[in-house]
Amino acid sequence: MQDRKVRVRFAPSPTGPLHIGGVRTALYNYLFARQHGGDLIFRIEDTDSGRFVPGAEEYIIESFRWLGIKFDEGVSFGGSHGPYRQSERRDIYKKYVQQLLDNGKAYIAFDTPEELDAKRAEIENFQYDASTRMQMRNSLSMSKEEVDKLIAEGKQYVVRFLIEPGRDVLVDDLIRGEVRINSSILDDKVLYKSADELPTYHLANIVDDHLMEVTHVIRGEEWLPSAPLHVLLYEAFGWADTMPRFAHLPLLLKPIGNGKLSKRDGDKLGFPVFPLEWHDPKTGEISSGYREKGYLPQAVVNFLALLGWNPGNDQELMTLDEMVKLFDLSKCSKNGAKFDYVKAAWFNHQYLIQQPDEAWAPAFDKILKAEGINATTEQEAEVVRMMKLKVIEYVDGQGNKRKRNISFPSDLWPLTRFFFVAPESFDREDKFIRKNWTENTASEMQQFCEVLEGIQDFSVEGMKAVVDPWVETSGLRPWNAWRICLVGAGQGPDMYELAAFLGKEETLKRMRFAIETLK
Ligand code: GLU
C-alpha cells in the first residue's frame, strides 16, 4: 500500500453544471496529486441515466480548462485504465456483481416499488435489512427454482448488498479521523438494476476506484454517510488491503445564515455558484458564471483553495504552484467553510491590478463595444496605460495615495468613460467642483482656451512648452478647473496626457461647454 503511486480522481455525475463546491473538490485532488507526483483521473459517473443532462460533461471539461486544472487521464484525456465513462463499462460491472452473488455477499430481489411502499406503510421506519429481508421477495427468502423461473420469465430484479448486522465499521478519514458506525444502521443497498443493466453509484464507484488503482478518495462531506458501505464493499470484494484512504472535505456554507451554500444564495446576493455561465438545455434558464462575471481563473482557484484549508500562516495570495507546495490534507478543516463572496471579489481585485497592461485590452475592448464606442487599438492601449498609472493608483485631493477598488473589468467603465464621452452636465453640489469653480473661473478658463488655441503641437511636450510659461506669468492655476472641464469631476490622469489624448478640438469643445454651463 505504502509504495503505490498516488492516484486520485474527480468523478462528477453529469447532471448539470458543476457547482463551485465540486470545483474545490477537484482542486484539492489536483493539489494532492501534483504534490505527490501522482495522477489525477477524470471519471464520469453517469450510471443514473434518468438524471443525465446533455452538455454537462462538456461544460465540466471546459470549466477545468479555463481554471487551469489539468488531468492526467480520463474522459477526453485518454489513459490506460479506460473507458472512463461509467456508461461504457457495463460488462465490467456485471462481472463484479456476479462475483458478489457467487460469494454470497449479495442477493437478488424482486420486490416491486408497490410492494416496497406497502411494506413501508405496514412497518414503521422500514429498512430493507437483516430484520426484514426474509419477509421480502428475494433469493434468500425464495427457493432457487422460483428465482430462476422469475428470471427466465424476464422479471425485473435488483441486486442488493447483504449487510451483516452488528458489525463495527471503521472509516479512517484523513480529515475527520476515525469515524465508527454499527453496520446494523445500514440497509441492504441496491447495487445493480436489471432494468437498465446498470450498477448504482456505490458499486460502480468502488469497482472503478479499485480497477483504476485509486489510492485516495478526496470528496465532499456529503459522501461521508456512504463511506461505511464502501468500506464493507471493499471487504466483500477482498480488496481491503488496497482500499483507498478517505478524506471528506468540509461543506461550503451560506455566506449569511446557516446551512449549505445553494444557488439561491448566489441569486439573492449577486454572486455565481458555477464556474462558467450555464444555459439549462431544458428550461432555457441562464445561470451566471465566474468567467462571464469577469473573474480571473487564478483568483477563483486562489479563493477556493482557502475555503476549508489554509497554509497555517497569513499568506493569502498564492499561485497554483505555491499551493501545490503548501497544501496539506491534514490541515483541512472539519468544520464547514463560510462562502465569503466579498472576499472572492477582493481576490479578483488583487489579481486584476497585478496583471500587465496588455492583459486588460480584451476586457476593455468588450466594454467599449458594449457601450457602442469605436476606439482604435492605440487609443485603448493609451487609456490602459494612463489608467494603470493614475487611476487605479491615484493621488487624491489631499495628496494621499489611493487605490480604486476595481474588482471586475466592468468596474473600469465608470472610471474611464470620460476618455470617450464628454461631460453632459456638472454636479454643482460636488465638493471638488464647488471648491475649484468659483466666480472668476469661467473668465480664467476663457483665457486658457485662447492660449491652447494658439498651440500647433498639441502633444504633452508641445502643450507644456506654451502653458508652463503662461502659468508662470499669469499666476493662474488652471489645473483643477481644467479637470472639471475635461472630466466633469475630480478624477482622472495627468491633465496634459488627457488633453493630448482628446486632441485640440475635443479639448476646446469640452472647455467651452463647461464655461457656458457653469458660468
Ligand atoms: N459521482 C459522485 C459525485 O457526483 C462522486 C462521489 C465520489 O467522489 O465518490 O460527486
Side-chain angles (χ1 to χ4, degrees):
M1 170 89 194
Q2 254 68 22
D3 44 23
R4 287 208 295 166
K5 181 180 190 190
V6 165
R7 285 173 59 84
V8 292
R9 82 306 193 267
F10 181 64
S13 300
T15 55
L18 180 62
H19 191 273
I20 201 74
V23 177
R24 187 202 50 179
T25 299
L27 172 62
Y28 283 17
N29 275 284
Y30 171 87
L31 296 176
F32 188 77
R34 284 295 84 82
Q35 181 169 69
H36 291 91
D39 298 326
L40 173 59
I41 304 162
F42 179 62
R43 184 169 77 220
I44 288 288
E45 302 209 325
D46 57 349
T47 55
D48 189 349
S49 48
R51 295 182 59 216
F52 178 83
V53 173
E57 182 183 303
E58 294 74 10
Y59 174 97
I60 296 169
I61 292 171
E62 173 61 11
S63 298
F64 291 121
R65 202 197 53 75
W66 178 64
L67 289 161
I69 294 174
K70 297 193 180 74
F71 292 86
D72 300 293
E73 57 187 85
V75 172
S76 87
F77 303 101
S80 56
H81 292 67
Y84 294 94
R85 213 180 267 115
Q86 288 188 331
S87 57
E88 293 166 16
R89 299 171 63 82
R90 285 165 202 259
D91 293 342
I92 299 174
Y93 305 127
K94 272 192 199 164
K95 191 179 119 200
Y96 286 99
V97 169
Q98 195 54 52
Q99 183 185 321
L100 290 181
L101 287 170
D102 292 346
N103 295 340
K105 306 281 185 190
Y107 61 93
I108 288 172
F110 295 99
D111 318 272
T112 63
E114 295 73 34
E115 286 165 351
L116 288 168
D117 281 344
K119 264 289 175 241
R120 285 189 197 104
E122 179 194 323
I123 304 174
E124 208 180 328
N125 297 327
F126 170 78
Q127 177 165 283
Y128 210 119
D129 61 15
S131 70
T132 57
R133 62 172 82 103
M134 293 313 281
Q135 308 169 30
M136 310 301 290
R137 296 203 309 129
N138 54 49
S139 57
L140 302 173
S141 64
M142 295 155 75
S143 71
K144 178 154 184 345
E145 292 68 42
E146 238 177 315
V147 170
D148 289 347
K149 190 171 146 262
L150 287 176
I151 293 176
E153 281 169 9
K155 281 270 180 305
Q156 301 295 7
Y157 63 89
V158 299
V159 174
R160 287 183 180 270
F161 191 31
L162 182 71
I163 301 261
E164 236 182 83
R167 281 207 36 210
D168 194 29
V169 188
L170 169 70
V171 180
D172 190 6
D173 192 286
L174 288 166
I175 296 174
R176 274 144 227 283
E178 295 193 348
V179 180
R180 265 172 214 281
I181 66 125
N182 192 288
S183 65
S184 302
I185 67 166
L186 301 174
D187 66 335
D188 293 353
K189 273 271 174 308
V190 172
L191 300 178
Y192 179 86
K193 298 194 210 92
S194 69
D196 53 11
E197 294 186 272
L198 276 171
T200 58
Y201 155 73
H202 302 289
L203 184 104
N205 189 268
I206 274 28
V207 167
D208 285 351
D209 282 349
H210 174 73
L211 295 178
M212 295 179 186
E213 300 181 77
V214 168
T215 56
H216 296 78
V217 167
I218 304 168
R219 62 183 172 189
E221 181 180 294
E222 62 275 26
W223 299 102
L224 184 59
S226 302
L229 170 71
H230 293 180
V231 169
L232 291 175
L233 271 169
Y234 281 106
E235 279 181 21
F237 276 118
W239 300 332
D241 52 344
T242 55
M243 181 168 74
R245 298 295 310 271
F246 290 104
H248 289 92
L249 305 174
L251 281 179
L252 296 187
L253 303 175
K254 292 179 183 312
I256 300 168
N258 299 320
K260 229 169 95 176
L261 174 71
S262 74
K263 177 164 155 16
R264 286 242 309 283
D265 300 312
D267 292 345
K268 225 168 44 205
L269 298 164
F271 63 88
V273 296
F274 303 125
L276 315 179
E277 197 169 87
W278 167 255
H279 298 243
D280 191 298
K282 263 214 205 100
T283 63
E285 192 199 343
I286 297 178
S287 306
S288 70
Y290 279 86
R291 180 178 65 183
E292 289 73 14
K293 176 100 194 180
Y295 273 86
L296 295 174
Q298 310 90 291
V300 175
V301 163
N302 197 156
F303 93 79
L304 279 181
L306 294 172
L307 290 175
W309 166 76
N310 72 71
N313 55 25
D314 292 340
Q315 187 178 359
E316 289 189 298
L317 295 172
M318 282 171 268
T319 63
L320 211 44
D321 286 342
E322 282 177 286
M323 286 180 228
V324 166
K325 287 204 194 86
L326 296 167
F327 186 71
D328 187 348
L329 256 190
S330 68
K331 289 217 183 83
C332 286
S333 163
K334 287 199 239 322
N335 307 322
K338 254 198 190 319
F339 193 84
D340 189 344
Y341 64 101
V342 178
K343 193 72 190 218
W346 177 86
F347 272 102
N348 208 45
H349 166 74
Q350 297 298 328
Y351 280 91
L352 272 179
I353 63 171
Q354 274 175 31
Q355 61 175 3
D357 281 7
E358 317 78 86
W360 286 96
F364 196 45
D365 200 50
K366 229 164 83 192
I367 297 171
L368 291 181
K369 288 230 168 67
E371 295 292 337
I373 285 161
N374 283 317
T376 64
T377 318
E378 289 75 32
Q379 282 174 318
E380 285 174 12
E382 185 62 1
V383 171
V384 168
R385 185 188 65 77
M386 285 190 263
M387 199 186 60
K388 259 293 267 187
L389 298 175
K390 298 281 169 14
V391 180
I392 293 183
E393 286 183 55
Y394 70 107
V395 178
D396 70 10
Q398 272 68 51
N400 301 314
K401 259 200 167 177
R402 301 251 230 142
K403 270 187 187 170
R404 297 268 179 207
N405 209 1
I406 294 185
S407 300
F408 306 105
S410 56
D411 295 339
L412 287 175
W413 182 237
L415 300 176
T416 55
R417 187 176 184 273
F418 61 84
F419 285 106
F420 304 98
V421 184
E424 291 115 359
S425 62
F426 301 89
D427 176 8
R428 283 172 192 277
E429 297 307 308
D430 181 273
K431 252 185 131 169
F432 186 82
I433 296 182
R434 273 203 352 230
K435 184 163 166 233
N436 294 295
W437 197 282
T438 53
E439 229 175 303
N440 300 326
T441 311
S443 87
E444 286 165 17
M445 277 297 111
Q446 188 57 47
Q447 287 177 51
F448 191 34
C449 271
E450 281 153 29
V451 174
L452 293 174
E453 231 160 334
I455 298 175
Q456 292 313 311
D457 171 12
F458 216 70
S459 67
V460 171
E461 290 314 311
M463 271 185 271
K464 268 192 175 161
V466 177
V467 176
D468 284 354
W470 173 75
V471 167
E472 190 73 22
T473 48
S474 69
L476 296 177
R477 288 283 168 274
W479 314 119
N480 286 350
W482 198 20
R483 188 174 293 283
I484 293 171
C485 296
L486 301 193
V487 177
Q491 67 171 82
D494 174 82
M495 288 309 298
Y496 285 129
E497 289 197 343
L498 177 56
F501 174 86
L502 295 174
K504 187 166 163 180
E505 197 185 327
E506 176 70 13
T507 299
L508 290 170
K509 202 169 120 197
R510 289 191 187 188
M511 290 174 75
R512 293 197 184 104
F513 176 74
I515 293 167
E516 200 48 43
T517 316
L518 282 166
K519 73 171 178 234

